[in-house]
Every structure is written in structure tokens, then in C-alpha cells.
Amino acid sequence: MSEAEQVPAAGTTSVRRSRDVPLLVERARTGDPRAVARLITLVENGDALLPEIAAALAPYAGQAQVVGLTGSPGVGKSTTTNELVRALRARGHRVGVLAVDPSSPFTGGAILGDRVRMQDHATDPGVYIRSMSSRGHLGGLAAATPQAVRVLEGAGCDVVLVETVGVGQAEVEVASLADTTLVLLAPGMGDAIQAVKAGILEIADVFVVNKADRDGVDATVRDIQGMIALGERGPGQWRPQVVRSVAARGEGIDDIAAAIDKHRGWLVEHGELRRRQETRAAAEIEAIALGALRARIGSLRDGTELATLATKVAEGATDPYTAADTLLAQLAR
């Protein structure tokens, strides 16, 4: 449920500006949308409480099924997400949605319009929808998305849907975050050559050909199936499914859910789910470590070490690789 639409019950303690992490996590576990919103806000802002939040949420890691939805602008990601939420709620699942919107390179602002498209679920206490600005982060997600997923896992969501910004051929970061990645396409978005290009089409566990009531849908499905047939797969390896849908009319959503279930079963049966979770954890650790290193390097700009090394490189007294080794040695000390 949108935190903006919640009114705290009489006698409850407001968590809107709370910095009490145990209280926030406890409230989030009970489904309090304000507590969830506060935790995600702290995560997005890179607050000093972030390590404490991560430690408090650690016991709940890996308990939610994470499904990524990606594709070019206009293929119907938000509509498909909205209908998937409906199908998952019919099964009794508690659902979290992280919808990433592009931010302006000039003002840094974002419309965050995905929540507007999902107003059908705004009053459902079993659904939490959060729009996130990409804040200039490349790859189709926001930098804080992985930690926001952990917040929703901690809040007891059974399924977390992560909708990327409208992406091109190279924005594949969602595949490192999701257990199952849906790549949405639509007829008329490109020719057969597009279907065999490396990049976004290679990350799909399930292809969803949306707007299947349009002309050319058979050719689009045929192109995708032809691309899949070209791939080399060993015995037991997953073969991406191809599903047709008309999300605006709710058609094909059950088929999408069935394909997600089938992939989930394969992940568990072959131990791939644990491998993907460990890969995701490794990427998070690396990102956090690199962020800390960048912060420490940035702090050197206020001193003389980096400036001295830059002067030496500019004068030809040393090379940038040697200077970088010197800088790393100084950071280690």
C-alpha cells in the first residue's frame, strides 16, 4: 500500500521520522507501510544507519521470490506488473513492488508515475508499492534497489516485483538482482536482427510478448523462438519460455505466472536458486566495498596526496598505474 495513503491508528507511535531501527523493523514485520517507507527512505539516502538496518534485516534475507520485469519503453511493464500483482494476491501472496523511474539529468527529478498506474492496489494492505528514482544510476535500476528488496523481504513480502526503467540493449543489471527475469517485448518494436543482438535478450528467463492483439505478433514470437534455438544449452539447462499476453485486458497473465512458477521449480531442483542468491550477495558486498573506497578516495581530494600524484602524472614524472598503486597503498594504511 502506498505510504502516502496510510493514516496511523489512534494511539500508535509515528514512525515517519523515526531513527529507531529495531522499532522500524518490528513495525515493518507487522506490515506497517509507514515503517517500510521510512526504512526504504533511509536506504535511498545512504543514511549512516544503513549498516544497522542491514544487520537487522539479515535474518530475513532470501525469504522472498524476486521477479524482475524489464524491456523497452512502451512495452507495457507497468500494466503487466499491475496485473501480476492481482494474480499473486488472488493466491494469497503478500506482494512488494519496486518501480524504478528515470530521473532528469538536469534537475535530478522524476515523475514516479508507475504508482499512478497501479492505483487498483492502493488500498490493499497486502501490497506495498514504492516508486524509486534512478538518480542517474545506469543499468535500469536505482543504486538502492538491492537494499530496498531486503527491506521488503524483512517486511514479510512473499514476492517482490522489480520493474526497471525503460531500457535499451545493454541495461541488464536486473538479472543480477532477480531470481526470475521477465523481458517484455511487443510487436512492431524491431525486426528479426534485434532478436539476435547480445544484451538484454540474453538475460530473459521468460519472454513476454505483450500487446499480442497487434499485427506481427506471430513474427515476433517466431523470431524469439529462433533466437532461443540458436543458444547452446546442456542437459537440464533452462530453456526460456515465450508467453503471449494482452496485459491491458488481463489476458495471458495466468500463463506468465505459470512460467514464473515453472522457472522457480527449476531453480530449486537444480540448486540454481541458492547460486543466484549467493551471486547477488557477492555483488552487494562488492558494491558496498567499492562505494566505501570511492568515499575514502574522495576524502583525499581535500588533502595533498591525490593532488601531488596528479601533478607527477601530468608532468610525466610517473604513470597513472604507479600513482594508483601508491594511492591504494596509502588507503590501506
Side-chain angles (χ1 to χ4, degrees):
M1 180 178 291
S2 166
E3 68 273 13
E5 293 152 350
Q6 286 294 305
V7 178
T12 61
T13 303
S14 174
V15 296
R16 183 186 294 274
R17 297 296 177 189
S18 175
R19 296 181 64 81
D20 184 340
V21 172
L23 172 64
L24 289 171
V25 173
E26 178 185 350
R27 291 288 186 86
R29 292 291 295 166
T30 66
D32 184 341
R34 290 185 182 274
V36 177
R38 181 62 176 151
L39 286 169
I40 294 180
T41 297
L42 291 170
V43 165
E44 281 192 290
N45 293 338
D47 194 273
L49 290 174
L50 189 50
E52 185 180 350
I53 294 171
L57 294 173
Y60 313 111
Q63 295 185 6
Q65 181 180 6
V66 183
V67 178
L69 296 93
T70 190
S72 302
V75 296
K77 295 187 297 297
S78 295
T79 305
T80 301
T81 300
N82 185 65
E83 293 303 315
L84 271 178
V85 170
R86 194 187 312 279
L88 292 167
R89 288 296 291 146
R91 298 180 178 187
H93 292 315
R94 192 171 177 181
V95 184
V97 178
L98 295 174
V100 184
D101 281 304
S103 56
S104 167
F106 303 105
T107 67
I111 294 178
L112 303 181
D114 290 303
R115 184 185 295 165
V116 175
R117 297 190 182 99
M118 301 179 200
Q119 284 299 302
D120 294 349
H121 311 290
T123 58
D124 186 346
V127 179
Y128 181 88
I129 300 171
R130 175 76 173 219
S131 291
M132 304 179 71
S133 169
S134 65
R135 300 189 181 188
H137 184 76
L138 302 179
L141 301 177
T145 305
Q147 294 304 317
V149 168
R150 289 190 177 275
V151 171
L152 293 181
E153 286 182 319
C157 290
D158 302 302
V159 182
V160 177
L161 303 177
V162 180
E163 179 193 333
T164 73
V165 301
V167 299
Q169 294 170 347
E171 291 87 352
V172 296
E173 188 174 345
V174 67
S176 65
L177 177 65
D179 301 324
T180 300
T181 301
L182 309 185
V183 172
L184 276 69
L185 307 102
M189 299 296 285
D191 57 21
I193 298 300
Q194 298 292 334
V196 296
K197 286 187 176 180
I200 188 172
L201 296 185
E202 293 185 334
I203 68 172
D205 298 306
V206 178
F207 287 101
V208 178
V209 181
N210 192 34
K211 304 183 180 181
D213 52 345
R214 288 184 174 181
D215 292 338
V217 63
D218 291 335
T220 300
V221 170
R222 187 167 56 249
D223 291 341
I224 296 302
Q225 290 174 334
M227 183 202 71
I228 294 172
L230 292 174
E232 295 182 3
R233 293 176 181 83
Q237 285 189 305
W238 175 254
R239 181 183 176 88
Q241 307 288 291
V242 183
V243 181
R244 304 183 190 209
S245 69
V246 185
R249 298 204 298 255
E251 297 175 6
I253 302 302
D254 288 341
D255 293 335
I256 297 174
I260 294 172
D261 289 342
K262 185 175 181 180
H263 184 247
R264 177 76 172 187
W266 178 85
L267 290 173
V268 173
E269 179 183 352
H270 290 81
E272 182 69 11
L273 180 60
R274 173 57 62 185
R275 190 196 70 79
R276 291 195 180 195
Q277 290 172 339
E278 291 175 354
T279 300
R280 184 158 69 234
E284 285 184 69
I285 295 168
E286 181 181 356
I288 292 168
L290 288 174
L293 280 174
R294 289 191 188 100
R296 293 178 65 182
I297 291 173
S299 68
L300 292 177
R301 293 182 180 275
D302 297 329
T304 61
E305 301 292 344
L306 186 57
T308 300
L309 289 170
T311 298
K312 290 182 178 180
V313 171
E315 292 175 345
T318 187
D319 64 272
Y321 287 92
T322 301
D325 288 339
T326 302
L327 183 62
L328 288 173
Q330 292 172 350
L331 288 174
R333 291 197 298 269

